[in-house]
Amino acid sequence: MHILCEQELLLYNMSMVSKAVSSKSTLPILEYVLLISDEKGLRMKGYDLQLGIETKDIECIQLEKGVIALKAKMFSDIIRKFPKGILEIIVKEKNITVIKNKKSKFEIIGQSSEDFPVIPSVEKKETLTLNSLNLKSMIKQTLFAVAQSESRPALTGENFDIKNKVLSVVAVDGYRIALAKTEISNEKEFNIIIPSRTLDEVSKIINDDENIDIHFTDSHILFNTSECKIISNLIEGDFIKYEQMFTDDYTTKITIDRLELLSALERTMLISNDGKRNPVKFKIDEEQLVITSNTERGNCYEQLNIELEGDNLEIAFNPKYVVDAIKSVEEDKITMFYTTALSPCIIKGVKANKQKYLILPLRITE
C-alpha cells in the first residue's frame, strides 16, 4: 500500500471507526483498525464483534493498493501529532508501515488483514429511513432510562417498535420508562432491540439533517449514513409490554412550568445526593406543589404554583429520575398524572404526546 492523504481526513475518519475498536480484549486484533486501499478507494474499518464501523471512500491519492491492520490507538495518536497537511503512508514487507511528511517519519508494525474479523453483511430487505435530527432527538429523549444491569439483557437496549406507521423508541430500567414517538411512512410492523451503546455511538457520529437508511435482519442492524456504515448486533429476547403501563386513569393531575420544576429539583438534589436512600417528597395541595428533602446534609423546601385537577396527594421520588424525564420534554409546561402514593407517575407535555415518561415512586418514610 502507498497512499497520500490529508492529515485532517485521516484523523476525522479514525475518530469514527475508533468507536468500534476494543480497548481491552482477549483477541488482540480487535484493538486494530483496518486500512483498505482498493478499486473502491481508501476506507477504514473497526470491529469489536459487537459493533462495526466502515467509512465511505476517503479522498486520497492511491499510488499502490493494499490492506493493513494497525493498532488503532497508536495509529490515531501518531496521526494526531502530525501537523495539518499531506501524509504519506507506505506498507512495506513484514507489515512495516511508514507514516511520514516532509519533516517527520514513523515506522510501526502492522498485522495481516487475514486476522481481522469479517464485519457481518446486512441484507437490505427491511428498511426504515429517518431524518438524523429526529433520530438523535429520540435517542437523547430515551437513552438515559436504559438498564445498566446485565441481569435482564433485553433492557440494556432500546426497543424500536413500529405499529400503524408510528415508530416508538422505548427504554426501561425497572424503575422508569421513557417513550418517544414519531410518525413514519413504513407500512410493515416490526419490533427489534438495539444495544444502548450502538445508539449512543450512532447519535455521536451521524451528521445533522441528513436521511439515515436503517436496514435490519433478525440478528443485525445497519445504519447507512453519508460518511460511514455502522453495523451492530441486535439483542435477542422479549421486551417488556410497555403499552399497558401508560394508563389514562388518574385521581390527581397537575400542570406545572417545566423549567421552574427543573430548577427546584436541581436545587433539592444539592441536599438529596442519594435519591434512592433520600427521596424528595411532593406534597400536592390545592394550587401548589411543595417539594421537600430532609437528609443528614440538611433540609430543603421549594414551593411551586400548579394547576390541580383531582385529589391532593403526597408522594416521593428519586429526584434524578424526574429531572431526567422533564429535561427531555420539549414543551414549556408539563402534566403529571398520579393515582396513589405507591403507583407510577406519568409525565408528558401539555400539547403533544410524542414523549411520555413513567416513574415509580418511593415509599415515604418519616
Side-chain angles (χ1 to χ4, degrees):
M1 179 192 296
H2 188 179
I3 61 171
L4 303 174
C5 189
E6 287 282 350
Q7 180 262 0
E8 288 179 293
L9 277 177
L10 289 170
L11 191 59
Y12 177 75
N13 283 276
M14 270 301 299
S15 70
M16 286 193 291
V17 297
S18 293
K19 299 179 186 300
V21 174
S22 177
S23 57
K24 294 180 181 179
S25 175
T26 54
L27 292 175
I29 195 64
L30 300 184
E31 299 176 24
Y32 283 65
V33 63
L34 200 64
L35 266 67
I36 306 164
S37 176
D38 58 17
E39 63 280 354
K40 296 180 182 179
L42 175 66
R43 305 184 309 285
M44 296 182 184
K45 290 183 181 182
Y47 183 42
D48 64 3
L49 303 183
Q50 300 294 324
L51 179 68
I53 297 175
E54 178 180 349
T55 69
K56 300 291 178 69
D57 181 27
I58 304 169
E59 184 179 351
C60 73
I61 297 173
Q62 294 174 292
L63 300 176
E64 184 179 345
K65 296 177 175 62
V67 185
I68 189 68
L70 298 174
K71 193 71 173 288
K73 187 177 186 310
M74 179 182 291
F75 181 55
S76 180
D77 288 344
I78 290 172
I79 296 299
R80 185 176 292 107
K81 294 300 181 181
F82 272 98
K84 295 177 183 179
I86 296 293
L87 291 183
E88 187 174 4
I89 299 178
I90 306 167
V91 179
K92 302 193 294 187
E93 292 183 0
K94 298 182 180 179
N95 298 319
I96 296 173
T97 303
V98 179
I99 307 165
K100 66 178 183 176
N101 62 9
K102 291 181 179 180
K103 295 184 178 181
S104 303
K105 176 181 175 181
F106 282 84
E107 285 192 0
I108 59 176
I109 307 298
Q111 296 290 330
S112 169
S113 61
E114 295 178 359
D115 299 327
F116 198 84
V118 177
I119 299 177
S121 60
V122 178
E123 295 183 24
K124 299 179 180 180
K125 290 183 178 180
E126 304 293 347
T127 303
L128 170 65
T129 301
L130 291 176
N131 178 269
S132 58
L133 286 174
N134 195 10
L135 178 58
K136 280 185 175 183
S137 179
M138 297 180 77
I139 293 172
K140 181 180 178 182
Q141 291 162 359
T142 54
L143 197 65
F144 61 83
V146 170
Q148 301 303 311
S149 171
E150 296 287 341
S151 60
R152 299 179 69 181
L155 300 188
T156 62
E158 291 206 312
N159 187 210
F160 274 49
D161 185 17
I162 285 185
K163 291 179 183 175
N164 302 318
K165 292 187 176 182
V166 174
L167 168 63
S168 298
V169 178
V170 190
V172 181
D173 67 2
Y175 302 98
R176 53 186 170 170
I177 303 175
L179 167 64
K181 293 184 177 183
T182 189
E183 294 181 358
I184 57 172
S185 59
N186 288 59
E187 296 279 355
K188 190 169 182 179
E189 297 184 354
F190 70 83
N191 190 300
I192 56 176
I193 306 173
I194 306 174
S196 59
R197 177 194 165 207
T198 297
L199 293 172
D200 187 33
E201 300 298 358
V202 165
S203 67
K204 295 173 183 175
I205 291 173
I206 58 178
N207 294 320
D208 290 341
D209 206 19
E210 66 167 311
N211 286 331
I212 308 296
D213 291 328
I214 303 172
H215 311 279
F216 54 91
T217 64
D218 291 338
S219 56
H220 294 93
I221 188 165
L222 162 65
F223 296 86
N224 199 2
T225 81
S226 60
E227 295 183 331
C228 70
K229 295 188 294 184
I230 305 167
I231 299 96
S232 169
N233 296 348
L234 293 175
I235 297 175
E236 297 180 357
D238 296 323
F239 204 77
I240 189 171
K241 303 297 182 183
Y242 63 90
E243 301 100 326
Q244 62 198 36
M245 306 290 287
F246 288 98
T247 176
D248 293 328
D249 297 331
Y250 66 88
T251 56
T252 302
K253 171 186 173 182
I254 67 170
T255 302
I256 189 168
D257 184 278
R258 183 179 69 88
L259 292 180
E260 286 184 6
L261 177 58
L262 177 61
S263 295
L265 285 171
E266 288 180 334
R267 288 191 295 269
T268 305
M269 288 171 66
L270 299 174
I271 295 296
S272 180
N273 63 321
D274 185 342
K276 292 182 180 179
R277 290 195 302 112
N278 302 124
V280 297
K281 296 178 183 178
F282 283 23
K283 183 178 181 181
I284 301 166
D285 186 2
E286 296 182 357
E287 299 303 313
Q288 67 181 22
L289 167 65
V290 173
I291 302 173
T292 57
S293 178
N294 301 304
T295 74
E296 68 278 2
R297 301 177 70 178
N299 304 320
C300 183
Y301 176 97
E302 297 280 349
Q303 181 177 314
L304 301 170
N305 294 328
I306 61 170
E307 298 173 26
L308 171 63
E309 180 183 325
D311 302 332
N312 295 341
L313 181 70
E314 290 190 38
I315 193 168
F317 295 102
N318 181 333
K320 183 181 184 305
Y321 292 171
V322 183
V323 166
D324 286 342
I326 62 179
K327 274 185 175 179
S328 301
V329 177
E330 298 175 333
E331 295 187 35
D332 293 334
K333 287 192 173 184
I334 60 170
T335 50
M336 305 177 76
F337 302 85
Y338 311 87
T339 51
T340 73
L342 296 178
S343 300
C345 165
I346 295 173
I347 301 173
K348 58 184 180 180
V350 171
K351 298 177 182 178
N353 205 25
K354 291 186 176 181
Q355 300 110 36
K356 292 194 291 187
Y357 301 92
L358 181 148
I359 303 172
L360 292 180
L362 299 173
R363 189 175 296 274
I364 296 177
T365 56
E366 299 299 334

